[in-house]
Amino acid sequence: LVRVHPHRRGPAVAAAAGVTMDELKQKLRREAQLAARVMHPNVVTVFAFEEIGENAVIAMELVEGATLH
């Protein structure tokens, strides 16, 4: 499990996007639902979206290999 945006930065990310935290979570949920429908060998599989407390979490396929940096 990797936390990309720690909760302490969530409100700042939402504010920068001009939305509330609830709106940001809804957008994330919708994107996860759409990504879960994509079946392609070059796209990671999205398994689930969950809200745990005030955190939103996407469970997705782990792809082994080098980073893109």
Coordinates of all heavy atoms in Angstrom, one line a residue:
L1 N 0.8 -1.2 0.0 CA 0.0 0.0 0.0 C 0.9 1.2 0.0 O 1.8 1.4 0.8 CB -0.9 0.0 1.2 CG -1.8 1.2 1.4 CD1 -2.8 1.2 0.3 CD2 -2.6 1.0 2.7
V2 N 0.7 2.1 -0.9 CA 1.5 3.3 -1.0 C 0.5 4.5 -0.9 O -0.5 4.5 -1.6 CB 2.2 3.4 -2.4 CG1 2.9 4.7 -2.5 CG2 3.2 2.3 -2.5
R3 N 0.8 5.4 -0.1 CA 0.0 6.6 0.1 C 0.6 7.7 -0.7 O 1.6 8.2 -0.4 CB 0.0 6.9 1.6 CG -1.1 7.9 2.0 CD -1.0 8.1 3.4 NE -2.3 8.0 4.0 CZ -2.6 8.3 5.2 NH1 -1.7 8.7 6.0 NH2 -3.9 8.2 5.6
V4 N -0.1 8.0 -1.8 CA 0.4 9.0 -2.7 C 0.3 10.4 -2.2 O 1.2 11.2 -2.2 CB -0.2 8.9 -4.1 CG1 0.3 10.0 -5.1 CG2 0.1 7.5 -4.7
H5 N -0.9 10.7 -1.7 CA -1.2 12.1 -1.1 C -1.6 11.9 0.3 O -2.7 11.6 0.6 CB -2.3 12.8 -1.9 CG -2.0 13.1 -3.3 ND1 -1.1 14.1 -3.6 CD2 -2.4 12.6 -4.4 CE1 -1.0 14.2 -4.9 NE2 -1.7 13.2 -5.4
P6 N -0.6 12.1 1.3 CA -1.0 12.0 2.7 C -2.2 12.9 3.0 O -2.3 13.9 2.4 CB 0.3 12.4 3.4 CG 1.4 12.2 2.4 CD 0.7 12.4 1.1
H7 N -3.0 12.5 4.0 CA -4.2 13.2 4.3 C -3.9 14.7 4.6 O -4.7 15.5 4.3 CB -4.9 12.5 5.5 CG -6.1 13.3 6.0 ND1 -7.2 13.4 5.3 CD2 -6.3 14.0 7.1 CE1 -8.1 14.2 5.9 NE2 -7.5 14.5 7.1
R8 N -2.8 14.9 5.2 CA -2.5 16.3 5.6 C -2.4 17.2 4.4 O -2.5 18.4 4.5 CB -1.2 16.4 6.5 CG 0.0 16.0 5.8 CD 1.2 16.1 6.7 NE 2.5 15.9 6.0 CZ 3.0 14.7 5.6 NH1 2.3 13.6 5.9 NH2 4.1 14.6 4.9
R9 N -2.1 16.7 3.2 CA -2.1 17.5 2.0 C -3.4 17.5 1.3 O -3.6 18.3 0.3 CB -1.0 17.0 1.1 CG 0.4 17.3 1.7 CD 1.5 16.8 0.8 NE 1.3 16.8 -0.6 CZ 2.1 16.2 -1.5 NH1 3.1 15.6 -1.1 NH2 1.8 16.3 -2.8
G10 N -4.3 16.6 1.6 CA -5.6 16.5 0.9 C -6.3 17.8 0.8 O -6.7 18.2 -0.3
P11 N -6.5 18.5 1.9 CA -7.3 19.8 1.7 C -6.6 20.8 0.8 O -7.2 21.5 0.1 CB -7.3 20.3 3.2 CG -7.3 19.1 4.0 CD -6.3 18.1 3.2
A12 N -5.2 20.8 0.8 CA -4.5 21.7 0.0 C -4.7 21.3 -1.5 O -4.8 22.2 -2.4 CB -3.0 21.7 0.3
V13 N -4.7 20.0 -1.8 CA -4.9 19.5 -3.2 C -6.3 19.9 -3.6 O -6.5 20.4 -4.7 CB -4.7 18.0 -3.2 CG1 -5.1 17.5 -4.6 CG2 -3.2 17.7 -3.0
A14 N -7.3 19.7 -2.7 CA -8.7 20.1 -3.1 C -8.8 21.5 -3.3 O -9.4 22.0 -4.3 CB -9.6 19.6 -2.0
A15 N -8.2 22.4 -2.5 CA -8.3 23.8 -2.6 C -7.7 24.3 -3.9 O -8.2 25.1 -4.6 CB -7.7 24.5 -1.4
A16 N -6.5 23.7 -4.2 CA -5.8 24.0 -5.5 C -6.7 23.7 -6.7 O -6.6 24.3 -7.7 CB -4.5 23.4 -5.5
A17 N -7.4 22.6 -6.6 CA -8.3 22.2 -7.7 C -9.6 22.9 -7.7 O -10.4 22.8 -8.6 CB -8.6 20.7 -7.6
G18 N -9.9 23.7 -6.7 CA -11.1 24.5 -6.6 C -12.3 23.7 -6.3 O -13.4 24.0 -6.6
V19 N -12.1 22.6 -5.5 CA -13.2 21.7 -5.1 C -13.1 21.4 -3.6 O -12.0 21.7 -3.0 CB -13.2 20.4 -5.9 CG1 -13.5 20.7 -7.4 CG2 -11.9 19.6 -5.7
T20 N -14.1 20.9 -3.0 CA -14.1 20.4 -1.6 C -13.5 19.0 -1.6 O -13.4 18.3 -2.6 CB -15.5 20.4 -1.0 OG1 -16.2 19.3 -1.7 CG2 -16.2 21.7 -1.1
M21 N -13.1 18.6 -0.4 CA -12.6 17.2 -0.2 C -13.6 16.2 -0.7 O -13.3 15.2 -1.3 CB -12.2 17.0 1.2 CG -10.8 17.6 1.6 SD -9.4 16.9 0.6 CE -9.4 15.2 1.2
D22 N -14.9 16.4 -0.4 CA -15.9 15.4 -0.8 C -16.0 15.4 -2.3 O -16.2 14.3 -2.8 CB -17.3 15.8 -0.2 CG -17.4 15.5 1.3 OD1 -16.6 14.7 1.8 OD2 -18.2 16.1 2.0
E23 N -15.9 16.5 -3.0 CA -16.0 16.5 -4.4 C -14.7 15.8 -5.0 O -14.8 15.1 -6.0 CB -16.0 18.0 -4.9 CG -17.3 18.6 -4.7 CD -17.3 20.1 -5.0 OE1 -16.3 20.8 -4.8 OE2 -18.3 20.6 -5.5
L24 N -13.6 16.0 -4.4 CA -12.4 15.4 -4.8 C -12.5 13.9 -4.7 O -12.1 13.1 -5.6 CB -11.2 15.9 -4.0 CG -9.8 15.5 -4.5 CD1 -9.5 16.1 -5.9 CD2 -8.7 16.1 -3.6
K25 N -13.0 13.4 -3.6 CA -13.2 12.0 -3.4 C -14.2 11.4 -4.4 O -14.0 10.3 -4.9 CB -13.7 11.7 -1.9 CG -12.7 11.8 -0.9 CD -13.3 11.5 0.5 CE -12.4 11.8 1.6 NZ -13.0 11.5 2.9
Q26 N -15.3 12.1 -4.7 CA -16.2 11.7 -5.7 C -15.6 11.5 -7.1 O -15.8 10.6 -7.8 CB -17.4 12.6 -5.7 CG -18.4 12.4 -4.6 CD -18.9 11.0 -4.5 OE1 -18.4 10.2 -3.7 NE2 -19.9 10.7 -5.3
K27 N -14.7 12.5 -7.4 CA -14.0 12.5 -8.7 C -13.1 11.3 -8.7 O -13.0 10.6 -9.7 CB -13.2 13.8 -8.9 CG -14.1 14.9 -9.3 CD -13.3 16.2 -9.4 CE -14.1 17.4 -9.6 NZ -14.0 18.0 -11.0
L28 N -12.4 11.0 -7.6 CA -11.5 9.9 -7.5 C -12.3 8.6 -7.7 O -11.8 7.6 -8.4 CB -10.7 9.9 -6.2 CG -9.6 8.9 -6.0 CD1 -8.5 9.0 -7.1 CD2 -9.0 9.0 -4.7
R29 N -13.4 8.5 -7.0 CA -14.3 7.3 -7.1 C -14.7 7.0 -8.5 O -14.6 5.9 -9.0 CB -15.5 7.4 -6.2 CG -16.5 6.2 -6.3 CD -17.7 6.4 -5.5 NE -17.4 6.5 -4.1 CZ -17.3 5.4 -3.3 NH1 -17.4 4.2 -3.8 NH2 -17.1 5.5 -2.0
R30 N -15.1 8.1 -9.2 CA -15.6 7.9 -10.6 C -14.5 7.5 -11.5 O -14.6 6.6 -12.3 CB -16.2 9.3 -11.1 CG -16.7 9.3 -12.5 CD -18.0 8.5 -12.6 NE -18.5 8.5 -14.0 CZ -18.9 7.5 -14.6 NH1 -19.1 6.4 -14.1 NH2 -19.3 7.7 -15.9
E31 N -13.3 8.1 -11.3 CA -12.1 7.7 -12.1 C -11.7 6.3 -11.9 O -11.4 5.5 -12.8 CB -11.0 8.6 -11.9 CG -9.8 8.3 -12.8 CD -8.9 9.5 -13.0 OE1 -9.3 10.7 -12.8 OE2 -7.8 9.2 -13.4
A32 N -11.8 5.8 -10.6 CA -11.5 4.4 -10.3 C -12.5 3.5 -10.9 O -12.1 2.4 -11.5 CB -11.4 4.2 -8.8
Q33 N -13.8 3.9 -10.9 CA -14.8 3.0 -11.5 C -14.6 2.9 -13.0 O -14.7 1.8 -13.6 CB -16.2 3.6 -11.2 CG -16.6 3.4 -9.8 CD -17.9 4.2 -9.5 OE1 -18.2 5.2 -10.1 NE2 -18.6 3.8 -8.4
L34 N -14.3 4.0 -13.6 CA -14.0 4.0 -15.1 C -12.8 3.2 -15.4 O -12.8 2.4 -16.4 CB -13.9 5.4 -15.7 CG -15.2 6.2 -15.6 CD1 -14.9 7.7 -16.0 CD2 -16.2 5.6 -16.6
A35 N -11.7 3.4 -14.7 CA -10.5 2.6 -14.9 C -10.6 1.1 -14.7 O -10.0 0.3 -15.3 CB -9.3 3.2 -14.0
A36 N -11.5 0.8 -13.7 CA -11.7 -0.7 -13.4 C -12.4 -1.4 -14.6 O -12.3 -2.6 -14.8 CB -12.6 -0.8 -12.2
R37 N -13.0 -0.6 -15.5 CA -13.7 -1.2 -16.7 C -12.7 -1.4 -17.8 O -13.1 -2.1 -18.8 CB -14.9 -0.3 -17.1 CG -16.0 -0.2 -16.1 CD -17.0 0.8 -16.4 NE -17.5 0.8 -17.7 CZ -18.3 1.7 -18.3 NH1 -18.7 2.7 -17.5 NH2 -18.7 1.6 -19.5
V38 N -11.6 -0.8 -17.8 CA -10.6 -1.0 -18.8 C -9.8 -2.3 -18.7 O -9.2 -2.5 -17.7 CB -9.6 0.2 -18.8 CG1 -8.5 0.1 -19.9 CG2 -10.3 1.5 -19.0
M39 N -9.8 -3.0 -19.7 CA -9.0 -4.3 -19.8 C -8.1 -4.2 -20.9 O -8.5 -4.3 -22.1 CB -10.0 -5.5 -19.9 CG -11.0 -5.7 -18.8 SD -10.1 -6.0 -17.3 CE -11.5 -6.0 -16.2
H40 N -6.8 -4.0 -20.6 CA -5.8 -3.8 -21.7 C -4.4 -4.2 -21.0 O -4.2 -3.9 -19.9 CB -5.8 -2.4 -22.2 CG -4.9 -2.3 -23.4 ND1 -3.5 -2.1 -23.3 CD2 -5.2 -2.2 -24.7 CE1 -3.0 -2.0 -24.6 NE2 -4.1 -2.1 -25.4
P41 N -3.6 -4.9 -21.8 CA -2.3 -5.3 -21.2 C -1.4 -4.2 -20.8 O -0.5 -4.4 -20.0 CB -1.7 -6.2 -22.3 CG -2.5 -6.0 -23.5 CD -3.8 -5.4 -23.1
N42 N -1.6 -3.0 -21.4 CA -0.7 -1.9 -21.0 C -1.3 -0.9 -20.0 O -0.8 0.2 -19.8 CB -0.4 -1.1 -22.3 CG 0.4 -1.9 -23.3 OD1 1.1 -2.8 -22.9 ND2 0.2 -1.6 -24.6
V43 N -2.4 -1.3 -19.4 CA -3.1 -0.5 -18.3 C -3.2 -1.4 -17.1 O -3.7 -2.5 -17.1 CB -4.5 -0.1 -18.8 CG1 -5.2 0.7 -17.7 CG2 -4.4 0.7 -20.1
V44 N -2.8 -0.8 -15.9 CA -2.9 -1.5 -14.7 C -4.4 -1.8 -14.3 O -5.2 -1.0 -14.7 CB -2.2 -0.8 -13.5 CG1 -0.7 -0.7 -13.7 CG2 -2.9 0.5 -13.2
T45 N -4.6 -2.9 -13.7 CA -6.0 -3.3 -13.3 C -6.3 -2.6 -12.0 O -5.5 -2.6 -11.0 CB -6.1 -4.8 -13.1 OG1 -5.7 -5.4 -14.3 CG2 -7.5 -5.2 -12.7
V46 N -7.5 -2.0 -11.9 CA -8.0 -1.3 -10.7 C -9.0 -2.4 -10.1 O -9.9 -2.8 -10.7 CB -8.7 0.0 -11.0 CG1 -9.4 0.5 -9.7 CG2 -7.7 1.0 -11.5
F47 N -8.7 -2.7 -8.8 CA -9.5 -3.7 -8.1 C -10.6 -3.1 -7.3 O -11.7 -3.7 -7.2 CB -8.6 -4.6 -7.2 CG -7.6 -5.4 -8.0 CD1 -6.2 -5.1 -7.8 CD2 -7.9 -6.3 -8.9 CE1 -5.3 -5.8 -8.5 CE2 -7.0 -7.1 -9.6 CZ -5.6 -6.8 -9.4
A48 N -10.3 -2.0 -6.6 CA -11.4 -1.5 -5.7 C -11.1 0.0 -5.3 O -9.9 0.4 -5.5 CB -11.4 -2.3 -4.4
F49 N -12.1 0.6 -4.9 CA -12.0 2.0 -4.3 C -12.7 1.9 -3.0 O -13.8 1.4 -2.9 CB -12.7 3.0 -5.2 CG -12.8 4.4 -4.6 CD1 -11.7 5.3 -4.8 CD2 -13.9 4.8 -3.8 CE1 -11.8 6.5 -4.2 CE2 -13.9 6.0 -3.2 CZ -12.9 6.9 -3.4
E50 N -12.1 2.4 -2.0 CA -12.6 2.4 -0.6 C -12.4 3.7 0.1 O -11.4 4.4 -0.2 CB -12.0 1.3 0.2 CG -12.3 -0.1 -0.2 CD -13.7 -0.6 0.0 OE1 -14.4 -0.1 0.9 OE2 -14.2 -1.4 -0.9
E51 N -13.3 4.1 0.9 CA -13.1 5.2 1.8 C -12.9 4.6 3.2 O -13.7 3.9 3.7 CB -14.3 6.2 1.8 CG -14.3 7.0 0.5 CD -15.4 8.1 0.6 OE1 -15.4 8.8 1.6 OE2 -16.1 8.2 -0.4
I52 N -11.7 4.9 3.8 CA -11.4 4.4 5.1 C -11.2 5.7 6.0 O -10.2 6.4 5.9 CB -10.1 3.6 5.1 CG1 -10.3 2.4 4.2 CG2 -9.8 3.1 6.5 CD1 -9.1 1.6 3.9
G53 N -12.2 5.9 6.8 CA -12.2 7.2 7.6 C -12.3 8.3 6.6 O -13.2 8.4 5.8
E54 N -11.3 9.2 6.7 CA -11.3 10.4 5.8 C -10.4 10.2 4.6 O -10.3 11.1 3.8 CB -10.9 11.6 6.6 CG -11.9 12.1 7.6 CD -11.6 13.4 8.2 OE1 -10.8 14.1 7.7 OE2 -12.2 13.7 9.3
N55 N -9.9 9.0 4.5 CA -8.9 8.7 3.4 C -9.7 7.9 2.3 O -10.5 7.1 2.5 CB -7.8 7.8 3.9 CG -6.9 8.6 4.9 OD1 -6.5 9.7 4.6 ND2 -6.7 8.0 6.0
A56 N -9.3 8.2 1.0 CA -9.8 7.5 -0.1 C -8.6 6.6 -0.6 O -7.5 7.1 -0.8 CB -10.2 8.5 -1.2
V57 N -8.9 5.4 -0.9 CA -7.9 4.4 -1.3 C -8.3 3.7 -2.6 O -9.4 3.2 -2.7 CB -7.6 3.4 -0.2 CG1 -6.6 2.4 -0.6 CG2 -7.3 4.1 1.1
I58 N -7.4 3.6 -3.6 CA -7.6 2.8 -4.8 C -6.7 1.6 -4.7 O -5.4 1.8 -4.5 CB -7.3 3.6 -6.0 CG1 -8.3 4.7 -6.2 CG2 -7.4 2.6 -7.3 CD1 -8.0 5.6 -7.4
A59 N -7.2 0.4 -4.8 CA -6.4 -0.8 -4.8 C -6.2 -1.2 -6.3 O -7.2 -1.4 -7.0 CB -7.1 -2.0 -4.0
M60 N -5.0 -1.3 -6.7 CA -4.7 -1.6 -8.1 C -3.5 -2.6 -8.2 O -2.8 -2.8 -7.2 CB -4.4 -0.3 -8.8 CG -3.3 0.5 -8.3 SD -3.1 2.2 -9.0 CE -4.1 2.3 -10.3
E61 N -3.4 -3.1 -9.4 CA -2.4 -4.1 -9.7 C -1.0 -3.5 -9.5 O -0.7 -2.4 -9.8 CB -2.5 -4.5 -11.2 CG -1.5 -5.3 -11.7 CD -1.7 -5.5 -13.2 OE1 -2.4 -4.8 -13.9 OE2 -1.1 -6.5 -13.7
L62 N -0.1 -4.3 -8.9 CA 1.3 -4.0 -8.7 C 2.0 -4.4 -10.0 O 2.0 -5.6 -10.3 CB 1.9 -4.6 -7.5 CG 3.4 -4.5 -7.3 CD1 3.8 -3.0 -7.1 CD2 3.9 -5.3 -6.2
V63 N 2.7 -3.5 -10.6 CA 3.5 -3.9 -11.8 C 5.0 -3.8 -11.5 O 5.5 -2.7 -11.1 CB 3.2 -2.9 -13.0 CG1 4.0 -3.2 -14.2 CG2 1.7 -2.9 -13.3
E64 N 5.6 -4.9 -11.6 CA 7.1 -5.0 -11.3 C 7.8 -4.3 -12.4 O 7.4 -4.4 -13.6 CB 7.5 -6.4 -11.1 CG 6.8 -7.2 -10.0 CD 7.3 -6.9 -8.6 OE1 8.4 -6.3 -8.5 OE2 6.6 -7.2 -7.7
G65 N 9.0 -3.7 -12.1 CA 9.8 -3.2 -13.1 C 10.4 -1.9 -12.7 O 10.3 -1.4 -11.6
A66 N 11.1 -1.2 -13.7 CA 11.8 0.0 -13.4 C 10.8 1.2 -13.3 O 9.7 1.1 -13.9 CB 12.8 0.3 -14.5
T67 N 11.2 2.2 -12.6 CA 10.3 3.4 -12.5 C 10.4 4.2 -13.8 O 11.2 4.0 -14.7 CB 10.7 4.3 -11.4 OG1 12.0 4.9 -11.7 CG2 10.8 3.6 -10.1
L68 N 9.4 5.1 -14.0 CA 9.4 5.9 -15.2 C 10.2 7.2 -15.1 O 10.2 8.0 -16.0 CB 7.9 6.2 -15.6 CG 7.0 5.0 -15.8 CD1 5.6 5.5 -16.1 CD2 7.5 4.2 -17.0
H69 N 10.8 7.4 -13.9 CA 11.6 8.6 -13.7 C 12.9 8.6 -14.5 O 13.6 7.7 -14.6 CB 11.9 8.8 -12.2 CG 10.7 9.0 -11.4 ND1 10.5 10.0 -10.6 CD2 9.5 8.2 -11.4 CE1 9.3 9.9 -10.0 NE2 8.7 8.8 -10.5

